[in-house]
Amino acid sequence: MGEFVGIDPRGAHELIRRMEAGKAFLGRTRPSLDAAIAEAGPDWAGHQGSTAVRRAWAFFHESQQDLRWRVDTAEQLVPVRERGLLTADFPFGSESEARQDAEDTAAAVRAALDDPRALARALSAAVGKAGDPAYAAALLAALGPETFTGALRLLTGAPLGEADAAPLARAFAGAERTGRLGDEWHALAETAPAEVLTALVSLAGPSGTFLGRVALALLDRPGPVGDLGGLVAAFAANPVAFQEFLAGHPGQAATLLTAAAGDPGLDAALRAALEPGAGAEGLRERARATVRRIGGG
């Protein structure tokens, strides 16, 4: 069962930092305390000894984990970033509850991989929950990259596939943005099929870093460039990522601007990335110079 949460991310991060300092102090203190207790033997006057230190360390550690989960979840659920208090209705009351629910969903997904309709029904359980990064990370960990990719590929090739695939894309974005993806996911941008990558960036908002990697992967692959509408839409939603791509990869930018010429979404993406005040001035001007060299503006 979920709960209504109000939290100040800035204050929470400061508390997490202080608890980390406390853990470091306790970690340095415990070996000396253990040695002193051993040396004193039966003459040790304390009652709990280093057990109390271990409990204090564990309390700080568990509190840090809970705070990080609450901050990450609130920031995923609240679309507009503002200073101060964030409030949100959490789908789960704890991180462990989120993980257990995700594992149940993953089991249902694995049992439905040969039927798009059954798979869509299994993923309907994730609607409204994928914004919880603990749920998202646990779902992805339980599925693994191969099963995850297969499920997305099955859905994107089926009627109404985009709507049905959205929970998986949102789960990936939530886990990726909050740094909860395991090492086994690092090669996904380079290895997944084009339709899977397009779904991941167009149906949810991954980080600008992942979006840039997907763009390079799609544009550098041999053979004709496919439909880039989803990539263009993702860049339109993330103007700073588009600036970084234009400024840092002029060759691939030329391929994109040429292949997507005539797409009204491209014009909107360019306006958002190049308009005065968008992003850092230096990066924006480098992006603008790339577009001018290509002949797009």
Side-chain angles (χ1 to χ4, degrees), residues 9 71-86 131 173-174 177-178 205:
V71 170
D72 286 346
T73 303
E75 289 184 334
Q76 297 303 306
L77 295 176
V78 179
V80 179
R81 299 287 187 269
E82 295 180 355
R83 288 181 176 270
L85 186 69
L86 295 182
R177 285 193 303 255
T178 56

Side-chain angles (χ1 to χ4, degrees), residues 3-52:
E3 63 176 298
F4 180 75
V5 173
I7 195 166
D8 178 355
R10 188 172 181 178
H13 282 302
E14 175 61 19
L15 181 56
I16 289 170
R17 186 192 67 77
R18 293 189 179 191
M19 285 192 289
E20 188 64 30
K23 284 167 57 181
F25 173 77
L26 293 171
R28 292 192 301 269
T29 302
R30 193 169 64 194
S32 299
L33 181 59
D34 286 339
I37 293 172
E39 183 178 355
D43 294 329
W44 173 250
H47 298 290
Q48 292 184 317
S50 61
T51 300

